[in-house]
Amino acid sequence: MSDTITGSCNCGSITVTIPKPEGVVLCHCINCRKSSGSLTSGNFSTPTKDVQVKGEPSQYKNPGTSGNEVTRKFCGNCGSPILTVIADPSVVFVKAGLFDPHTVPAPSAHLFARNMEDWEIIHEGASRLEEQ
């Protein structure tokens, strides 16, 4: 059994390989909602040194809730979100949707849960953080 997983953008021009994750963090911040086009963004918090990206993502920078710059990398061809870089250069958030079904573990946390819709639930065993 491999200790890494590899995913790709919708068109396949960008691939990402990371260590097999133990949990996914669901972020409900406004920026993740808008950049993912969904109510939440599934992310693998991964040490930067352990992320292998093949292909050249485009990027968009915006201020995060902390006021620090956030860089969102995406495929310039198909638009698939790839990863998010925050002020801490030692960690990146790799988008869980890049990986095949049945390779994504259950959520370990919900970030910015204050933005969840009234009908959304906190998954069993996951922590709820109103902010980050």
Side-chain angles (χ1 to χ4, degrees):
M1 183 182 295
S2 176
D3 57 345
T4 63
I5 59 174
T6 299
S8 67
C9 64
N10 209 22
C11 70
S13 64
I14 297 177
T15 61
V16 180
T17 301
I18 61 171
K20 190 173 280 186
E22 293 183 16
V24 64
V25 174
L26 300 179
C27 186
H28 303 270
C29 79
I30 300 302
N31 286 336
C32 278
R33 285 174 64 128
K34 290 184 179 197
S35 67
S36 71
S38 185
L39 299 178
T40 186
S41 177
N43 299 288
F44 296 129
S45 178
T46 309
T48 304
K49 65 179 181 56
D50 294 339
V51 177
Q52 298 172 8
V53 177
K54 291 184 181 173
E56 288 297 323
S58 296
Q59 63 184 26
Y60 169 74
K61 295 181 180 192
N62 66 289
T65 57
S66 67
N68 292 323
E69 186 174 78
V70 174
T71 302
R72 298 180 185 282
K73 297 193 176 192
F74 60 96
C75 177
N77 187 46
C78 68
S80 295
I82 305 297
L83 57 85
T84 301
V85 180
I86 58 171
D88 179 355
S90 68
V91 67
V92 295
F93 296 97
V94 179
K95 302 305 176 182
L98 299 173
F99 301 90
D100 289 339
H102 312 292
T103 61
V104 177
S108 57
H110 290 260
L111 305 180
F112 294 93
R114 68 175 188 225
N115 296 330
M116 291 175 70
E117 298 299 328
D118 294 339
W119 50 263
E120 288 185 277
I121 61 166
I122 300 293
H123 292 80
E124 185 175 335
S127 59
R128 177 188 175 115
L129 300 162
E130 297 304 310
E131 295 192 20
Q132 181 178 356

